[in-house]
Amino acid sequence: MDRGGLKFLCVSLLALAVPLCSAAWAAPLPFSDGFENVAVGAYPSENGWLTLSFGKTASVSDQDYGTGTRSFRLDSWPWSARMDYVSLDEVPEQLSYQASVCVDPSLGWVGLVGFMTRNGYQAPMWNSFGVDAGYGKVLFYGEGTVDLAPYTPGTWCTVRADLDFSTLTADLWVDDVLVAQGVTITPSEFDDPVMGHLTLSQWGVAAGSYLEYPYINFANVVYFDDLAMWQPEESAVIDPEIDIKPGSYPNPINLKSRGGTPVAIFSTDTFDATSVDPSTVDLAGAPVLQRGKHGIYAARPGDVDGDGLPDLLLLFRTADFDPSQLQGGVATLHGATYDGQGIEGSDDVFLVPRH
Ligand SMILES: [Ca+2]
Ligand SMILES: [Ca+2]
Ligand SMILES: [Ca+2]
């Protein structure tokens, strides 16, 4: 593995290495940093943050921030990077993370965000970004080192990785722009010839410290904010049962009708139809009908099939249907829940009058 780009950090960590206690707290996914709820000057330990390498200091700051009024300021000594992390119980096959990073323009050299190994107190960060003021670049350390984008010291930069450990690839983003796809990453568990079996079970941030010419430096200040980790939705969409014209069959559609077409989305033990956001729903190209000057959606809960679970009843203006989306004898409904889970369901229709 190419770890050359992180040699500075390995060396500096060896100097003040501390054995890792096993953390009782593990970050649930999705995870977000919580810095906004921590007093300025305090360490965000109640949010699960732990210290790996002591550097100089680390605390929540209001001097400079990404969003809100707080960020996390890390301050390193020349021979000790400052590293802080949260633990994961396990790394899922797909995992995304993002962070905003600002490296102090007068003192700072590099800010890192990514993974560490549980028993790797001397290990660098893995599948990580280096926001590098010394080189003026944003880099990614996967199996190799990838040069992603320029970086201007003293500015905030947002990095994001969509990691897929089943294919060992990542898609990488800098400032909301996809800058690299299919980059080879380090597995979440692997055998190291020196350290033995390693797992990427910690995720965090570091203010790196160079020891090598020409980047010997004697201080490093890096701010981090808007740190988050999440799992992509397990399936792209879920497919609830729907009933066009509930309770009757077949389902004739007269596109010249001035009326409406009711549709039920059914709940199950594992799916709550009332969690569907009506503003996201379309059926055969038609949005949910809106009423009144406030545009209230014609959507209401009700137990349509009598199973005791509230379903969602929606009304569409029949003339809004796209005829080309009804020709196959099936109308498909698309939408999403309020928390972003996509849904898709279909029911039979036939057009009247027949042509
Ligand atoms: Ca913030
Ligand atoms: Ca029906
Ligand atoms: Ca029901």
Side-chain angles (χ1 to χ4, degrees):
M1 289 177 193
D2 174 13
R3 303 253 73 88
L6 290 173
K7 195 188 294 176
F8 63 93
L9 196 56
C10 297
V11 172
S12 59
L13 281 172
L14 275 169
L16 273 186
V18 290
L20 274 184
C21 309
S22 64
W25 190 92
L29 296 174
F31 169 81
S32 62
D33 57 45
F35 300 145
E36 294 305 321
N37 303 319
V38 178
V40 170
Y43 187 79
S45 46
E46 65 268 34
N47 296 317
W49 291 94
L50 295 161
T51 300
L52 178 59
S53 170
F54 288 99
K56 201 182 291 179
T57 58
S59 64
V60 168
S61 165
D62 67 354
Q63 296 302 305
D64 207 345
Y65 46 82
T67 61
T69 59
R70 306 274 200 280
S71 61
F72 194 27
R73 174 185 162 131
L74 271 59
D75 216 331
S76 76
W77 291 113
W79 298 284
S80 175
R82 176 72 205 201
M83 301 182 73
D84 298 87
Y85 69 97
V86 292
S87 283
L88 291 173
D89 281 335
E90 60 176 318
V91 176
E93 283 209 325
Q94 276 90 32
L95 180 135
S96 296
Y97 73 80
Q98 73 172 26
S100 293
V101 184
C102 177
V103 183
D104 185 285
S106 57
L107 298 173
W109 288 110
V110 65
L112 291 154
V113 55
F115 286 89
M116 311 174 201
T117 59
R118 189 182 292 280
N119 52 340
Y121 51 83
Q122 91 294 18
M125 302 180 80
W126 307 78
N127 298 332
S128 66
F129 289 93
V131 176
D132 197 315
Y135 292 105
K137 288 178 176 178
V138 180
L139 304 164
F140 184 78
Y141 304 105
E143 271 297 280
T145 301
V146 185
D147 188 340
L148 296 175
Y151 175 66
T152 304
T155 62
W156 282 93
C157 160
T158 300
V159 294
R160 168 180 155 187
D162 296 337
L163 303 165
D164 187 338
F165 288 101
S166 67
T167 59
L168 292 180
T169 59
D171 295 339
L172 307 173
W173 307 70
V174 176
D175 291 332
D176 296 323
V177 176
L178 181 62
V179 291
Q181 283 182 283
V183 172
T184 306
I185 62 171
T186 301
S188 56
E189 291 189 47
F190 55 95
D191 290 310
D192 180 88
V194 176
M195 291 298 297
H197 195 71
L198 300 178
T199 56
L200 305 187
S201 50
Q202 295 158 336
W203 178 85
V205 291
S209 165
Y210 291 101
L211 291 179
E212 294 175 61
Y213 180 81
Y215 293 113
I216 295 173
N217 68 303
F218 296 94
N220 186 9
V221 174
V222 185
Y223 298 89
F224 295 90
D225 202 3
D226 302 326
L227 297 160
M229 262 185 299
W230 66 95
Q231 279 180 267
E233 286 153 14
E234 301 240 318
S235 63
V237 294
I238 50 180
D239 52 349
E241 189 184 336
I242 70 168
D243 186 357
I244 294 172
K245 299 192 174 182
S248 72
Y249 190 86
N251 306 314
I253 302 287
N254 181 350
L255 292 169
K256 294 205 168 62
S257 162
R258 291 177 155 197
T261 299
V263 176
I265 304 175
F266 294 108
S267 292
T268 66
D269 289 340
T270 56
F271 174 69
D272 176 7
T274 65
S275 70
V276 173
D277 178 355
S279 72
T280 65
V281 172
D282 80 275
L283 175 67
V288 176
L289 181 67
Q290 288 174 273
R291 288 173 168 146
K293 67 176 180 183
H294 297 299
I296 306 294
Y297 286 99
R300 63 178 174 83
D303 185 8
V304 177
D305 59 0
D307 66 354
L309 300 171
D311 310 303
L312 187 65
L313 257 176
L314 304 170
L315 188 65
F316 298 84
R317 185 180 289 114
T318 305
D320 287 348
F321 291 131
D322 174 359
S324 71
Q325 296 190 35
L326 297 170
Q327 297 302 323
V330 171
T332 300
L333 177 146
H334 300 97
T337 62
Y338 287 105
D339 59 8
Q341 169 68 58
I343 64 159
E344 181 179 313
S346 298
D347 196 7
D348 299 333
V349 293
F350 71 92
L351 293 176
V352 291
R354 292 177 185 276
H355 298 289

